[in-house]
Amino acid sequence: MRKVVFVGGSSYSGSTFLDLMLANSRDGFSCGEVSQMFYPFRQHHFNIICGCGDPECLLWHNIQRAGVDRLYDTIFELFPSVSYIVDSSKDPLWIQQRTKTLIRSGVGVENVLIWKTPEEYYHSCAKRGQERRWENAWINYHRLYFRMIDDWHAVRCADVVASADSLRLLCEQIGLPYFEGKHRYWEKVHHMLFGNHSAKRHLYQKGTKAYERSNKVQRDSFKKYADHQFSEVSHQAIVSERPSLSSKEGCRPRISPISEQIMRVLESQSIAPHKSQEPDKDQCRVTEIIDRLKASKAYEFRRRTRRDIRTRTMRLFMQLKNG
């Protein structure tokens, strides 16, 4: 049965490299953050560059012409050997909408939520100079995800980085093929769209235009690194990268009670090699916490309205700019 795996997660959570790892199979396909092609909100979303590194590749232009409702059907048609697609668009609004279409067409759906602890997420934001209101962003994403996605598997980013067993267990849970070395996603040509350049630069050999482009985007975004040398050393290696921030930055943020509740949910639902895979006796309690944490209908409506307005505004801006 053909299926689509949606990888969710707050920004800088590791969704891009997990997407690439899961799709690293002859019958897998990574489409990255494809929702941004149909709901663009930044200028670079209009500059469609295929992740394969070939500037002449028109794959995504052809898929875009087929339309959003035929997105996954078109990919399956263009790649007959593909039996599953990984989509790391992350947006719960997109995931819910696409899931309804897929279920009607008889395509299976799996949801994976990759997450970082509040301290890890703060670090990812701070090194990019985006630590303002970091906790609100982390909380709001997970509350909206809990509201809109019913069935999901969770995995902590640090566990995937530290142990191949976490990736193996996740593949077993969602019914994807696993083999030794599956984490070395750069050994396959991927056509993924957009996504985090910290992960994407591993796809390219040093010295190529694609590598230099991804490396430049990565370096420009890491505004507060004390040392950039790690990025060269770690090329084509999955490592935990925590270089020092400037001295004025705090290293351990204060965590609110609601963040602690979200952490409890994520930890209880996560797949990890050291964790017992026996059914959780306290699952009813976790379900109650999730229900309390879910975002309101009003928040969902505001997010949907803001997304649509932002997309229309950006399209109008680009028309005027290019017109």
Side-chain angles (χ1 to χ4, degrees), residues 305-321:
T305 302
R306 189 160 61 242
R307 182 193 66 174
D308 294 341
I309 292 175
R310 187 171 55 175
T311 296
R312 289 197 297 268
T313 302
M314 182 53 68
R315 282 178 173 157
L316 178 60
F317 170 77
M318 293 301 292
Q319 288 174 2
L320 294 174
K321 180 181 178 181

Side-chain angles (χ1 to χ4, degrees), residues 12 63 81 143 198 207 211 236 238 270 307 312:
Y12 319 128
I63 292 174
S81 63
R143 292 188 67 187
S198 298
Y211 175 83
Q236 294 191 338
I238 303 300
S270 287
R307 182 193 66 174
R312 289 197 297 268

Side-chain angles (χ1 to χ4, degrees), residues 79-179:
F79 298 90
S81 63
V82 166
S83 62
Y84 70 93
I85 296 169
V86 185
D87 181 339
S88 55
S89 294
K90 299 195 294 288
D91 182 3
L93 302 174
W94 168 268
I95 296 172
Q96 186 193 64
Q97 185 179 24
R98 294 299 102 210
T99 295
K100 291 178 180 178
T101 303
L102 288 165
I103 291 175
R104 285 198 297 268
S105 61
V107 178
V109 174
E110 295 284 352
N111 291 295
V112 177
L113 177 63
I114 186 169
W115 60 278
K116 290 182 176 180
T117 66
E119 292 90 347
E120 292 165 344
Y121 182 68
Y122 171 82
H123 177 88
S124 295
C125 292
K127 69 186 181 183
R128 294 171 171 86
Q130 299 180 19
E131 64 271 32
R132 184 173 177 270
R133 296 178 64 82
W134 67 272
E135 191 176 24
N136 281 348
W138 189 85
I139 289 172
N140 289 338
Y141 178 85
H142 290 100
R143 292 188 67 187
L144 185 63
Y145 191 91
F146 294 162
R147 170 173 176 76
M148 306 199 71
I149 313 301
D150 293 326
D151 299 310
W152 46 275
H153 305 271
V155 63
R156 184 179 171 186
C157 179
D159 288 336
V160 177
V161 170
S163 171
D165 285 340
S166 293
L167 182 61
R168 176 182 57 80
L169 289 170
L170 177 59
C171 288
E172 291 175 357
Q173 287 287 321
I174 61 179
L176 296 189
Y178 178 81
F179 54 87

Side-chain angles (χ1 to χ4, degrees), residues 49-57 60 189-192 203-204 210:
I49 301 176
C50 184
C52 69
D54 181 1
E56 303 300 321
C57 182
W60 291 109
V189 175
H190 294 271
H191 293 275
M192 88 169 328
L203 296 173
Y204 317 118

Side-chain angles (χ1 to χ4, degrees), residues 2 16 24 45 65 114 186 201 203 243 275 287:
R2 289 176 170 175
T16 298
N24 185 23
H45 295 157
R65 281 197 294 270
I114 186 169
W186 50 84
R201 68 186 175 83
L203 296 173
K275 180 180 174 182
T287 302

